[in-house]
Amino acid sequence: MSIGLTRLREEPDRVRQGAIDKGEEAAIVDRALELDGRRRQLLAEGDALRAERNSASRRIGEAVREGARPDGPEVAALKRASSEAGARIAALDGELATVGAELDELLLRIPNPADPDVPVGGEEANEVVRTWGDRLRREEPTWTRRPHWEVAERLGMLDLERGAKITGSGFPVYRGHGAALQRALIDWFLAVHTGENGMTEIWPPAVVNAASARGTGQIPDKEELMYVVPRDDLYLVPTAEVPVTNLHRDEIFEAGSLPVRYAAYTPCFRREAGAAGKETRGILRVHQFDKVEMVLFEQPADSRAALEWLTERGEILLRRLGLAYRVLLLATREMGFVQARKYDLEVWAPGVERWLEVSSCSDFGDYQARRMAIRYRPEPGAKPVLVHTLNGSGLALPRTVAAILESYQQADGSLVVPEVLRPYLGTARIEPPA
RNA sequence: GGAGAGGUCGCCUAGUGGCCUAGGGCGCCGCACUGGAAAUGCGGUAUGGGGCAACCCAUCGGGGGUUCAAAUCCCCCCCUCUCCGCCA
């Protein structure tokens, strides 16, 4: 990810303030401006020298064609001029490489400024935009709700122990109705997205190359987050965002072709190094999980409205599942480096009595698109401009499953199946094995 | 995995060190001709960077090298196709 040089030059104050709001040093902005000036100067000098060298070489060709001796004095003089320019170019290129490297490194540290109305601060500044549904209580009048892992183990839907045996902790095994529930959710989510939401379904590779990992910023920003296959220089995807956004890397959308909206299911692999303990009981935080992700490519002017629409696509799923949830507008230091605006969807899990993040919907502005060179031609024949990219979960499965298990469990130990999933599961109620 | 053939402008293609500052065709855009169109003719049709501009620079799958000069020669890598092997 990086900030655009044009934007840096045109609104340095906004960029500087944006960096401060996200907890970065403002001084890097000024240093970057300085280096940018030096770089442009070097480029101009280098280009002039290249022009000189090119014309000298061209004249050698012409002279030889017109009968000059290739080893004669005229040609020798031209050769000398050309070599000399070449030597100076090499020197300038050396300095340019140094300046460019420092500049690139600085640019990587300048965050995408948040939208003006995003609250400034950390977690305490997050804003609850809206809440839907009634929160169930753990303590019912005549019984107590169990946490999801107990519900699931008792119903034979989940086997964490054997998952740990065959792979490691954080790799859950779903079985029976538990496995079917995974499949049902994925299928239903995609049906909604490709149907009423008009998205195109993508079924991408779950493993990507280094260029793709770099495109969405997993390298170098979040390299420790990913599982790596070093022998083949490949990376297991931490989210479908990576392969799906990279679909259009180095491409130009022709006029009239936007928006392009995708929905994609992939398994997601995250190392989650250092995350262990009570907060991660059950399937709240695992190394492999399933997720349907929505990825949008929009015209710049449309991205803000598209984010509201995108967030609503996630909310609709929760409402139809009958799960209480809230929408958070994340504050500047919570939203991350690359987002201009970000909403989190949190579902209520009555068994553990916690809000669980099941979706994160972000507008990246042109920040991602710049790194991947994804552009759009506003009019036929016009100069391409960077597109705006957005993505949002719709939805991540494990915590959605946890909320379903905890919300729909019954006093007798059975589980009522949410109505929208009954056609997929073929039953309205799951009973404990006899 | 082995052998061979390829990767050039949106698409097809020419191109074996300097008239390549990449030619031609198709498609597309504009203009002319037409009542309107077809056909035809003329012109234009990549991306990024720099410059007020004329214009300049970079890019022929990617990277490195040889040379005054590389689409062209050399090395490494990637991808596609054909055949063989293996295989859910």
Side-chain angles (χ1 to χ4, degrees):
Chain A
M1 301 310 137
S2 81
I3 196 84
L5 283 169
T6 312
R7 183 161 188 199
L8 189 64
R9 287 173 205 147
E10 281 170 4
E11 30 178 27
D13 297 330
R14 172 96 203 280
V15 173
R16 197 180 290 115
Q17 189 58 48
I20 293 167
D21 290 345
K22 285 196 173 178
E24 302 289 331
E25 286 171 49
I28 53 178
V29 175
D30 300 295
R31 177 68 181 148
L33 279 166
E34 191 184 320
L35 287 169
D36 173 47
R38 178 64 187 145
R39 185 175 150 274
R40 277 200 282 179
Q41 192 187 343
L42 288 168
L43 280 174
E45 280 178 43
D47 279 359
L49 283 168
R50 267 179 250 274
E52 220 174 274
R53 183 185 61 182
N54 289 348
S55 86
S57 285
R58 216 173 295 139
R59 285 205 303 276
I60 294 174
E62 282 163 14
V64 171
R65 220 174 306 128
E66 283 161 16
R69 293 230 317 274
D71 53 353
E74 188 193 351
V75 167
L78 284 167
K79 281 190 184 183
R80 209 161 32 246
S82 182
S83 314
E84 206 175 291
R88 288 168 63 203
I89 289 167
L92 282 178
D93 281 351
E95 188 181 349
L96 189 62
T98 311
V99 171
E102 194 188 339
L103 180 58
D104 288 345
E105 199 223 320
L106 282 177
L107 290 178
L108 288 174
R109 291 168 51 201
I110 299 175
N112 195 6
D115 281 353
D117 63 322
V118 168
V120 175
E123 194 179 348
E124 74 294 336
N126 288 346
E127 208 173 275
V128 178
V129 182
R130 55 187 168 270
T131 304
W132 184 91
D134 293 321
R135 279 199 266 170
L136 297 170
R137 296 276 157 221
R138 171 157 51 197
E139 301 300 333
E140 294 285 346
T142 57
W143 60 290
T144 300
R145 288 180 185 277
R146 311 276 187 122
H148 64 273
W149 57 89
E150 285 184 25
V151 177
E153 300 258 4
R154 193 165 52 182
L155 292 173
M157 296 170 73
L158 179 68
D159 190 339
L160 292 173
E161 260 178 55
R162 289 199 177 96
K165 177 174 76 177
I166 61 177
T167 304
S169 99
F171 290 91
V173 171
Y174 299 97
R175 53 176 292 152
H177 290 299
L181 179 58
Q182 297 288 115
R183 195 156 40 81
L185 285 167
I186 293 163
D187 202 355
W188 177 62
F189 289 165
L190 286 169
V192 172
H193 296 322
T194 58
E196 63 191 67
N197 293 346
M199 298 174 179
T200 301
E201 184 175 350
I202 301 291
W203 196 284
V207 181
V208 295
N209 58 29
S212 295
R214 206 170 294 117
T216 35
Q218 266 67 36
I219 306 176
D221 308 345
K222 303 174 181 167
E223 211 165 349
E224 69 294 338
L225 174 106
M226 286 187 297
Y227 287 97
V228 184
V229 186
R231 186 177 179 129
D232 300 295
D233 198 17
L234 294 173
Y235 300 79
L236 306 201
V237 300
T239 160
E241 169 196 348
V242 179
V244 176
T245 311
N246 272 285
L247 239 32
H248 295 293
R249 172 154 49 89
D250 297 317
E251 291 185 11
I252 299 171
F253 289 102
E254 287 308 321
S257 62
L258 293 183
V260 167
R261 295 171 171 174
Y262 294 128
Y265 158 75
T266 63
C268 303
F269 303 91
R270 297 187 184 179
R271 295 183 61 243
E272 305 286 3
K278 197 163 187 184
E279 295 288 293
T280 67
R281 284 287 310 260
I283 53 173
L284 296 188
R285 197 179 178 113
V286 288
H287 291 306
Q288 178 180 339
F289 62 95
D290 300 277
K291 179 162 63 67
V292 171
E293 184 77 4
M294 306 175 281
V295 177
L296 275 45
F297 300 85
E298 301 279 339
Q299 297 187 47
D302 297 340
S303 72
R304 177 64 185 273
L307 179 64
E308 301 300 322
W309 179 83
L310 181 69
T311 307
E312 173 73 10
R313 296 314 100 193
E315 289 178 60
I316 280 176
L317 298 175
L318 293 172
R319 290 205 289 272
R320 291 189 194 160
L321 283 170
L323 299 171
Y325 70 89
R326 63 180 189 178
V327 182
L328 259 47
L329 172 61
L330 295 197
T332 49
R333 290 207 300 279
E334 283 293 295
M335 64 194 291
F337 197 78
V338 300
Q339 291 87 352
R341 189 184 195 81
K342 176 171 173 176
Y343 292 111
D344 273 3
L345 263 45
E346 295 187 334
V347 70
W348 179 250
V352 292
E353 293 200 296
R354 281 176 55 197
W355 292 104
L356 305 177
E357 182 186 334
V358 289
S359 178
S360 204
C361 301
S362 306
D363 178 2
F364 299 100
D366 64 9
Y367 213 73
Q368 246 187 359
R370 178 170 301 103
R371 187 171 203 157
M372 280 188 269
I374 307 175
R375 290 159 294 173
Y376 169 67
R377 212 181 294 284
E379 301 290 335
K383 280 278 172 197
V385 297
L386 292 167
V387 301
H388 281 200
T389 58
L390 303 91
N391 65 50
S393 337
L395 303 161
L397 291 226
R399 294 170 189 168
T400 304
V401 167
I404 290 171
L405 292 169
E406 296 185 4
S407 302
Y408 283 88
Q409 61 178 296
Q410 305 297 307
D412 66 4
S414 67
L415 183 81
V416 169
V417 176
E419 202 150 339
V420 290
L421 298 178
R422 288 177 194 172
Y424 294 88
L425 286 174
T427 179
R429 183 182 279 261
I430 296 168
E431 305 283 354

